[in-house]
């Protein structure tokens, strides 16, 4: 009995620590994006551009700081996302059918409806259609940062569901990037990548639990994937999936065992939340507003992103949740009613990090298109955050 209480207390502390970290990271993310906008529209805008475009490295590795952030540091972000997905599938909210149905169906609908709305707005423009996936992602850090503003009024079930939908959402986004934003494949590099992954699998079968060999092989995999034509950040995803979780064969209770996956996840969280994502936001959210007007938001590309995030996300998620409840396949989490579900759907319209990342893949070499997509993502994310916060502030019960 005492062991069970200890495990429960530890789980509660870990969960509280996780949400505190994500919420704080989301607030810093918002500040970094705001600072980028100020820098890009200030008399020192040329210094901002210079800092982003400054080459770092030597020879063929002499790439801009912007490139190193998007293709290098974001691989670490995707490594963390992959670790979270694996943990949730093996031992968390996605480990059982009862827990899996609602968030996965909501996430899938929350991807499909925004993509359809964007396609409806841009189907006549082949160039703009490269951005169909931009409004399909949810930024968990940003969304939890907004939820943190409501304090204890937010039910734990809402935080759990939002986090789980975002994890499933990230998994779908990873598949989209792999399938639709890889080009010019180099088969020799892909074959070598498969060999590295096979070596990681062999280490797993040998029950090697030290993190060093996995991380070293992950760096090699990153270089090979970069050469292959598949986006290099996917190396972080594969490396995360190869990190061992619990050892089912030892005598240690899985509930209290510190797995290599959890060790790495806890070590990476502060770096990603407080350094990598703010750097990404600062490097990618700096949109110059010179020459832009409010009417530019109504252009098909940014309007498609805006409709997808602000309307498509809540429509897809809430409709899916109501359908699952109506069919008796799932129920709303404790403390949530339809009004709370609508508020959650609105907050899922905060695309930001993953949306900006996909926009960089879709339009990185097209200055005007990229600027339009950033405008759409920022406008939609701010709108979704504001409307979602206001809705929940008016509908959630007052804290005692």
């Amino acid at each position: 009995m005492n062991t069970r209480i200890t495990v429960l207390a530890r789980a509660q502390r870990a969960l509280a620590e996780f949400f505190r970290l994500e919420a704080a990271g989301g607030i810093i993310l918002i500040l970094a994006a705001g600072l980028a906008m100020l820098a890009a529209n200030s008399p020192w805008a040329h210094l901002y551009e210079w800092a982003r475009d400054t080459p770092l490295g030597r020879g063929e590795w002499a790439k801009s700081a912007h490139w190193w952030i998007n293709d290098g540091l974001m691989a670490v972000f995707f490594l963390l996302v992959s670790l979270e997905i694996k943990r949730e599938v093996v031992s968390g909210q996605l480990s059982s059918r009862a827990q899996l149905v609602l968030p996965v169906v909501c996430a899938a609908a929350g991807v499909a409806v925004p993509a359809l709305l964007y396609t409806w707005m841009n189907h006549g423009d082949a160039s703009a259609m490269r951005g169909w996936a931009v409004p399909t992602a949810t930024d968990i850090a940003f969304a939890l940062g907004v939820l943190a503003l409501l304090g204890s009024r937010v039910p734990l079930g809402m935080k759990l569901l939002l986090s789980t939908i975002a994890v499933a959402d990230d998994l779908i986004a990873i598949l989209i990037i792999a399938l639709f934003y890889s080009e010019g494949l180099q088969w020799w590099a892909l074959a070598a990548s498969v060999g590295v992954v096979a070596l990681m699998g062999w280490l797993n079968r040998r029950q090697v639990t030290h993190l060093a060999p996995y991380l070293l092989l992950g760096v090699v995999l990153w270089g090979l994937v970069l050469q292959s034509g598949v986006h290099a950040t996917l190396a972080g995803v594969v490396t995360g999936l190869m990190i061992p979780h619990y050892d089912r064969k030892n005598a240690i209770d899985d509930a209290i065992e510190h797995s290599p996956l959890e060790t790495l996840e806890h070590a990476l969280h502060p770096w990603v939340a407080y350094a990598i994502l703010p750097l990404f936001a600062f490097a990618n959210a700096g949109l110059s507003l010179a020459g832009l007007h409010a009417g530019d938001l109504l252009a098909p590309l940014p309007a498609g992103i805006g409709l997808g995030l602000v309307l498509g996300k809540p429509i897809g998620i809430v409709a899916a949740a109501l359908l699952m409840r109506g069919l008796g396949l799932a129920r709303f989490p404790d403390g949530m009613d339809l009004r709370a579900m609508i508020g959650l759907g609105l907050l899922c319209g905060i695309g930001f990090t993953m949306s900006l990342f996909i926009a960089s893949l879709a339009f990185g070499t097209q200055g005007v298109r990229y600027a339009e997509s950033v405008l759409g993502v920022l406008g939609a994310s701010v709108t979704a955050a504001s409307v979602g916060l206001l809705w929940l502030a008016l509908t959630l019960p007052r804290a005692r």
Side-chain angles (χ1 to χ4, degrees):
M1 184 66 179
N2 288 335
T3 302
R4 181 180 298 177
I5 294 174
T6 302
V7 171
L8 180 60
R10 178 185 163 198
Q12 289 175 334
R13 286 197 301 271
L15 186 63
E17 177 186 351
F18 172 81
F19 284 126
R20 277 201 305 272
L21 182 63
E22 289 294 332
I27 294 170
I28 293 174
L29 194 64
I30 297 169
L31 294 176
L35 185 60
M37 288 294 292
L38 287 175
N41 293 278
S42 72
W44 301 280
H46 63 287
L47 293 177
Y48 173 74
E49 295 293 336
W50 173 83
R52 288 202 311 182
D53 298 335
T54 298
L56 301 175
R58 294 183 178 180
E60 64 175 308
W61 293 104
K63 308 288 187 180
S64 69
H66 188 221
W67 184 93
W68 279 109
I69 292 171
N70 282 21
D71 288 62
L73 291 180
M74 286 301 283
V76 181
F77 164 72
F78 277 93
L79 169 60
L80 179 61
V81 169
S82 181
L83 293 173
E84 292 174 343
I85 290 173
K86 182 173 180 178
R87 174 175 51 77
E88 292 292 341
V89 169
V90 173
S91 60
Q93 294 294 307
L94 302 179
S95 61
S96 70
R97 181 184 175 279
Q99 296 171 315
L100 189 66
V101 171
L102 184 61
V104 168
V105 173
C106 286
V111 168
V113 176
L116 289 172
L117 286 175
Y118 181 93
T119 301
W120 173 62
M121 291 291 296
N122 293 275
H123 63 89
D125 188 337
S127 173
M129 279 305 298
R130 276 190 56 82
W132 67 269
V134 173
T136 62
T138 294
D139 190 310
I140 182 175
F142 203 148
L144 286 173
V146 173
L147 272 186
L149 300 176
L150 296 170
S152 60
R153 296 178 61 188
V154 180
L156 181 60
M158 176 180 283
K159 295 180 181 179
L160 287 171
L161 182 58
L162 174 61
S163 301
T164 313
I165 288 175
V167 168
D169 193 285
D170 285 342
L171 178 58
I172 297 173
I174 288 167
L175 293 175
I176 288 173
I177 292 169
L179 293 174
F180 297 100
Y181 294 100
S182 299
E183 48 193 38
L185 298 180
Q186 299 293 323
W187 293 105
W188 69 267
L190 279 177
S193 300
V194 171
V196 173
V197 175
L199 183 54
M200 289 182 179
W202 179 80
L203 291 174
N204 258 286
R205 289 194 300 273
R206 298 288 295 176
Q207 299 182 4
V208 174
T209 57
H210 293 291
L211 287 170
Y214 295 98
L215 297 180
L216 288 174
L217 288 172
V219 174
V220 174
L221 182 63
W222 177 82
L224 289 171
V225 172
L226 180 66
Q227 295 294 321
S228 73
V230 178
H231 199 271
T233 52
L234 295 178
V237 175
V238 175
T239 302
L241 295 177
M242 291 292 108
I243 301 295
H245 197 13
Y246 294 119
D247 183 355
R248 303 296 186 187
K249 297 181 180 180
N250 64 25
I252 305 175
D253 187 345
D254 291 346
I256 60 175
E257 180 181 4
H258 287 284
S259 71
L261 182 148
E262 290 177 316
T263 299
L264 182 59
E265 184 182 353
H266 283 291
L268 289 179
H269 254 304
W271 291 99
V272 171
Y274 298 133
I276 292 175
L277 288 183
L279 269 175
F280 174 83
F282 184 74
N284 288 273
L287 175 66
S288 174
L289 300 178
L292 293 177
H293 305 88
D296 292 326
L297 282 169
L298 300 179
L301 196 155
I305 293 174
L307 282 176
L309 287 172
V310 177
L311 291 180
K313 275 289 185 182
I315 288 173
I317 289 171
V318 175
L322 289 174
L323 178 62
M324 290 297 99
R325 188 174 71 168
L327 294 174
L329 298 177
R331 61 181 183 83
F332 290 173
D334 292 340
M336 288 190 67
D337 55 12
L338 177 58
R339 295 182 302 173
M341 185 63 71
I342 292 173
L344 181 145
L346 289 168
L347 290 185
C348 284
I350 303 173
F352 202 69
T353 302
M354 195 69 82
S355 292
L356 287 176
F357 185 76
I358 295 175
S360 72
L361 299 181
F363 305 118
T365 59
Q366 304 177 48
V368 175
R369 291 293 196 199
Y370 181 65
E372 287 182 331
S373 62
V374 172
L375 181 65
V377 170
L378 294 181
S381 295
V382 170
T383 301
S386 303
V387 175
L389 178 62
L390 178 61
W391 175 271
L392 291 174
L394 295 174
T395 59
L396 285 180
R398 294 285 177 183
R400 292 182 178 178

